[in-house]
Amino acid sequence: MAGSSALIIRPMRTSDLDRIQEIERASFTVPWSRNAFYGELADNHFARYIVAQRGDLVVGYAGMWLILDEAHITNIAVHPEARRQHVGETLLRYAMAYARSQGAMRMTLEVRVSNAPAQHLYRKLGFTAKGVRRGYYTDNHEDAIIMWAELGQFDGRINPDEEAGAAAPGDAVPGAGGERSAEDRRGGRRPGDADEI
């Protein structure tokens, strides 16, 4: 899967969901359901989801909620065969640049205390630890480190309008939000499972 094809970042489409499910199952002990992703794309007007595509294959994805001047990374994952190729970093840089272009001044995420590689990446991109959520992860009750980054001075070297191009039909993200809790909407996994990158 490594290949030399250029990495393209674009909006997630409902047609990507079969592949997203493969990445989910390979990355998380409690994967989100297809319906959870569909709900994010179709019904959550705060949600923005992107994929990293190499050739014809989606190799990773990231999601966030944009609420007022803050962005919350809900998840980020890369297929095991595409890890350690800067796919996760590219996705996160793009998400940060896009959030900044939409008026977000801060971004937050949660990461497992045991996930040193992800923490290293987040620190590299300006995130700092601000707290701990005890027993946050539903699979093993592991604690999560809450990290924040200020986006006001972020220079992601990515222009969202140039990189992703125009959204194609089926790329819809806006819609009416539901009333269920974030954990319920995702089938047991909470926002911020930004683990496997």
Side-chain angles (χ1 to χ4, degrees):
M1 185 181 295
S4 59
S5 299
L7 194 66
I8 296 169
I9 306 297
R10 62 166 175 79
M12 185 184 288
R13 303 175 184 140
T14 56
S15 60
D16 297 322
L17 293 183
D18 287 342
R19 177 63 175 174
I20 298 303
Q21 287 294 279
E22 290 178 30
I23 297 170
E24 276 285 294
R25 287 190 296 270
S27 300
F28 299 108
T29 57
V30 183
W32 284 12
S33 69
R34 182 187 180 91
N35 285 343
F37 279 100
Y38 186 85
E40 287 289 277
L41 295 176
D43 298 326
N44 185 350
H45 65 277
F46 298 114
R48 302 293 182 273
Y49 282 78
I50 55 175
V51 299
Q53 181 173 322
R54 184 170 282 138
D56 293 331
L57 196 61
V58 170
V59 296
Y61 69 90
M64 67 181 153
W65 290 354
L66 288 170
I67 303 173
L68 301 176
D69 64 347
E70 293 183 353
H72 185 153
I73 294 291
T74 55
N75 46 21
I76 181 169
V78 174
H79 192 282
E81 294 179 15
R83 291 181 191 158
R84 297 188 232 338
Q85 299 172 30
H86 303 288
V87 175
E89 180 176 346
T90 301
L91 282 163
L92 187 54
R93 282 184 180 276
Y94 182 91
M96 293 173 77
Y98 178 80
R100 182 70 186 99
S101 77
Q102 300 301 300
M105 298 303 294
R106 303 174 75 212
M107 178 174 274
T108 187
L109 54 79
E110 290 88 7
V111 59
R112 291 177 186 267
V113 295
S114 63
N115 193 345
Q119 293 171 39
H120 174 75
L121 171 62
Y122 302 148
R123 285 192 301 272
K124 175 181 176 182
L125 295 183
F127 285 84
T128 57
K130 297 294 185 181
V132 174
R133 294 194 199 280
R134 302 282 176 209
Y136 183 75
Y137 291 96
T138 58
D139 60 343
N140 64 359
H141 304 291
E142 184 175 355
D143 294 346
I145 299 171
I146 306 164
M147 302 186 83
W148 283 90
E150 298 297 326
L151 300 179
Q153 301 298 317
F154 177 71
D155 176 12
R157 297 182 303 242
I158 292 175
N159 180 337
D161 296 327
E162 292 177 9
E163 289 287 320
D171 289 346
V173 173
E179 295 300 317
R180 293 176 292 168
S181 72
E183 188 171 354
D184 290 343
R185 186 169 19 249
R186 284 166 185 73
R189 201 170 89 227
R190 295 178 175 163
D193 283 0
D195 275 349
E196 299 301 333
I197 53 173

